[in-house]
């Protein structure tokens, strides 16, 4: 009745080692089990106790941990958005190099870089995760349909010669919107053709 364990420490503390011996002796003396190998019983008990100690410490940390500050959350979300822009840029560069009709646009795509790609925010509806596209205020909205041609070309690279899907990650589901991302980080990409910039935005310079 006074059997106690030290969950807050490791399973190898002197107290827990003695507890393993006590458990093994009581296990054998109970006569309810066929095993009488004391060493095996002690070893099995310590292995189980190791797991219990680990779970206990995780629960304690979870109970005392504070939610991450808002700045940390914002930083993680911003990093995720930048990573998605970079992935989108890489896909479009790949498309420019895999179709002969896009050869003349390779330099422009490279000049746009990840910052020239539209940003997005994750959204889940009916259990399906998608990404809502936000148009950059500085970029001409007409550029978006042009870039989607590269997206469709890239999709063709995800199928093999017999039109079966290849292994690997597939592009995210991105949904167009008319909203402008007025809070996006960074500066507009310089040096692009004039018609890549929004006329209203240019008039404010």
């Amino acid at each position: 009745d006074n059997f106690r364990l030290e969950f807050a420490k490791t399973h190898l503390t002197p107290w827990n080692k003695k507890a393993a011996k006590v458990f093994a002796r009581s296990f054998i003396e109970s006569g309810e089990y066929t095993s009488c190998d004391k060493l095996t019983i002690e070893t099995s008990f310590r292995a189980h106790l190791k797991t219990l100690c680990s779970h206990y410490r995780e629960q304690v940390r979870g109970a005392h941990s504070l939610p991450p500050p808002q700045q940390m959350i914002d930083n993680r979300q911003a990093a995720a958005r930048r990573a998605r822009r970079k992935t989108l840029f890489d896909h479009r560069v790949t498309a420019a190099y895999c179709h002969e009709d896009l050869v003349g646009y390779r330099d422009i795509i490279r000049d746009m870089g990840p910052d020239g790609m539209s940003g997005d925010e994750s959204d889940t509806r009916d259990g399906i995760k998608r990404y809502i596209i936000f148009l950059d205020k500085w970029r001409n909205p007409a550029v978006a349909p042009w870039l989607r041609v590269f997206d469709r070309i890239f999709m063709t690279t995800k199928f093999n010669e017999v039109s079966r899907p290849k292994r690997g990650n597939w592009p995210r589901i991105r949904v167009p919107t008319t909203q402008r991302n007025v809070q996006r980080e960074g500066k507009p990409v310089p040096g692009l053709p004039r018609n890549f910039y929004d006329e209203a935005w240019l008039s404010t310079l």
Side-chain angles (χ1 to χ4, degrees):
D1 292 337
N2 295 320
F3 189 74
R4 296 289 187 272
L5 297 171
E6 291 182 326
F7 292 115
K9 300 180 181 180
T10 74
H11 65 294
L12 295 177
T13 63
W15 180 273
N16 284 337
K17 285 182 179 180
K18 291 180 180 178
K21 293 182 181 298
V22 171
F23 175 84
R25 185 174 65 250
S26 298
F27 185 92
I28 295 172
E29 290 175 352
S30 69
E32 297 180 11
Y33 307 96
T34 57
S35 176
C36 294
D37 189 335
K38 187 177 180 181
L39 181 59
T40 299
I41 296 171
E42 285 184 28
T43 301
S44 299
F45 178 82
R46 285 197 296 268
H48 182 58
L49 180 57
K50 180 179 180 181
T51 301
L52 293 178
C53 289
S54 177
H55 289 173
Y56 177 81
R57 290 194 297 269
E58 289 177 3
Q59 290 177 352
V60 171
R61 284 196 298 268
H64 292 86
S65 62
L66 297 174
Q70 188 60 44
Q71 184 61 50
M72 184 179 297
I73 296 175
D74 292 342
N75 290 343
R76 290 175 180 172
Q77 292 176 342
R81 287 193 294 269
R82 287 194 297 271
R84 292 197 296 269
R85 283 180 187 264
K86 177 62 168 59
T87 298
L88 186 60
F89 168 69
D90 291 340
H91 289 176
R92 288 167 173 170
V93 169
T94 297
Y97 277 84
C98 73
H99 199 287
E100 59 182 12
D101 291 343
L102 301 180
V103 171
Y105 302 113
R106 292 174 180 174
D107 290 342
I108 295 177
I109 289 292
R110 285 199 301 265
D111 290 343
M112 292 184 73
D115 286 339
M117 307 296 109
S118 54
D120 54 40
E121 293 289 349
S122 61
D123 177 64
T124 301
R125 291 190 181 183
D126 300 325
I128 300 176
K129 191 170 187 177
R130 61 182 190 165
Y131 294 84
I132 307 299
I133 302 171
F134 289 87
L135 302 178
D136 291 321
K137 194 172 184 179
W138 63 269
R139 210 181 72 182
N140 186 341
V143 172
W146 177 74
L147 286 172
R148 289 184 194 124
V149 173
F150 292 81
D151 297 337
R152 288 192 286 271
I153 294 297
F154 178 77
M155 280 297 296
T156 65
T157 69
K158 304 300 292 183
F159 295 87
N160 60 23
E161 294 78 3
V162 292
S163 299
R164 291 186 179 275
K166 296 179 181 178
R167 292 182 178 180
N169 295 329
W170 282 63
R172 293 176 295 276
I173 300 175
R174 304 182 83 232
V175 182
T177 180
T178 57
Q179 297 184 54
R180 294 300 184 93
N181 183 4
V182 296
Q183 297 179 336
R184 72 161 298 224
E185 298 178 3
K187 297 180 180 180
V189 179
L192 299 177
R194 182 182 174 86
N195 61 354
F196 273 58
Y197 300 99
D198 182 79
E199 286 295 333
W201 177 80
L202 285 174
S203 66
T204 63
L205 301 179

